[in-house]
Amino acid sequence: MTIASLTSATPASRTDADLIGSNKRFYDALWSDAKLFSPDRFNTWPLVAEIAAETSRRLEVAPGLRPRLPLPDTQFVDLSLPALAELGRHGARVANAMIGALPFRDASFDFVCAFDILEHVVDDEGALGELARVAEPGARLLISVPLDPDAWTAFDDFVGHFRRYEPDAIRALLARHGFTIERSAVYGMQPKSSRLLDLGQWFLTHQRARAMWWYNRVFMPLGVRFQKPLAFTPGFAPGPGVDEVLLVCRKTGT
């Protein structure tokens, strides 16, 4: 299977079927050849460990092979069967499902994690509604989203994004589903160089085996090694030039 450009359609013209199919093809191919990186290798680990120590029923949606929550005693949900198989081999509890139709009862979890997923779905209202449904009152939600529609690049197309968010839009979306933002931090491991991104896309498309060798053995290990510690600030007030954030939220109400 080759990893090709996902679609030539503009974001607004993509349908759910377009995104589900293209994302599944892209990430099944990626996770079939990628290695699992354990949660403690990411700069999110200090935050995750802090919240995990206070909670007992954890859910992470669409982790691929980059889970952020502890593998033991966490429920993982993903669309990619290769990713689920590898997570399962490492002792994780897994389920094949989509964010818009989670196979769990209401208020099942007190810690929910959804990194890099809302931007991949057409119906983000429905997706966040599902996260809210399975989160009990007082539950914590960790969620990351890309910001600034004007910062859209070919990379967004390539990895299957549907949108980038204006800060006010993500605030309002979370509020409509009963989440308040407690703190936030600049987030993301995407290289800033557009030339490097273009080169990576070309190799993934035309020389996938070589690209995955470099990704597994060089770029991903270097990326996690040189991550900067997350610097959290109360609330959510991103400065200029911030193109991705991590939000720490709490579920309110009933």
Side-chain angles (χ1 to χ4, degrees):
M1 181 188 299
T2 59
I3 302 176
S5 180
L6 296 177
T7 177
S8 59
T10 60
S13 68
R14 294 177 185 172
T15 65
D16 261 329
D18 292 333
L19 285 170
I20 291 169
S22 60
N23 277 297
K24 182 168 174 48
R25 289 190 296 274
F26 180 88
Y27 288 101
D28 277 358
L30 179 65
W31 301 137
S32 292
D33 289 329
K35 294 182 178 180
L36 187 146
F37 276 69
S38 62
D40 59 354
R41 299 187 66 177
F42 294 95
N43 62 355
T44 49
W45 183 246
L47 171 68
V48 165
E50 169 197 326
I51 299 175
E54 303 169 352
T55 55
S56 59
R57 291 168 290 119
R58 302 187 296 262
L59 169 69
E60 183 167 358
V61 179
L65 295 183
R66 306 292 177 255
R68 299 311 201 272
L69 300 193
L71 294 180
D73 302 319
T74 297
Q75 176 69 62
F76 293 94
V77 169
D78 207 291
L79 185 62
S80 171
L81 293 177
L84 293 175
E86 188 65 15
L87 288 166
R89 280 194 287 271
H90 285 78
R93 189 166 67 247
V94 300
N96 183 221
M98 295 169 54
I99 190 173
L102 297 174
F104 309 111
R105 294 180 178 178
D106 296 358
S108 292
F109 302 98
D110 56 5
F111 186 7
V112 178
C113 181
F115 283 78
D116 304 315
I117 180 63
L118 278 190
E119 62 268 28
H120 287 271
V121 299
V122 173
D123 183 13
D124 56 347
E125 290 279 359
L128 195 58
E130 275 293 271
L131 297 182
R133 181 184 65 79
V134 300
E136 70 176 17
R140 310 298 285 278
L141 169 69
L142 300 188
I143 192 163
S144 66
V145 293
L147 298 179
D148 190 1
D150 290 338
W152 189 274
T153 69
F155 183 79
D156 291 281
D157 285 314
F158 188 72
V159 297
H161 288 176
F162 181 75
R163 66 176 64 77
R164 285 176 169 271
Y165 286 93
E166 295 286 3
D168 286 345
I170 190 63
R171 283 193 200 95
L173 178 63
L174 287 162
R176 283 195 295 275
H177 293 281
F179 290 105
T180 59
I181 301 173
E182 295 186 329
R183 47 183 162 153
S184 59
V186 177
Y187 178 73
M189 295 177 62
Q190 178 180 319
K192 297 299 183 183
S193 169
S194 60
R195 289 187 177 182
L196 184 59
L197 289 172
D198 290 343
L199 184 63
Q201 290 174 215
W202 189 91
F203 272 96
L204 280 170
T205 302
H206 301 286
Q207 296 189 23
R208 178 167 166 263
R210 178 179 293 184
M212 293 307 300
W213 189 95
W214 282 93
Y215 175 73
N216 283 317
R217 292 168 176 80
V218 179
F219 296 124
M220 191 64 195
L222 285 176
V224 297
R225 181 175 181 179
F226 292 106
Q227 293 172 102
K228 295 179 180 179
L230 293 171
F232 285 96
T233 58
F236 174 43
V242 174
D243 62 3
E244 187 167 8
V245 292
L246 172 60
L247 305 173
V248 184
C249 308
R250 189 179 291 274
K251 175 74 180 300
T252 60
T254 57

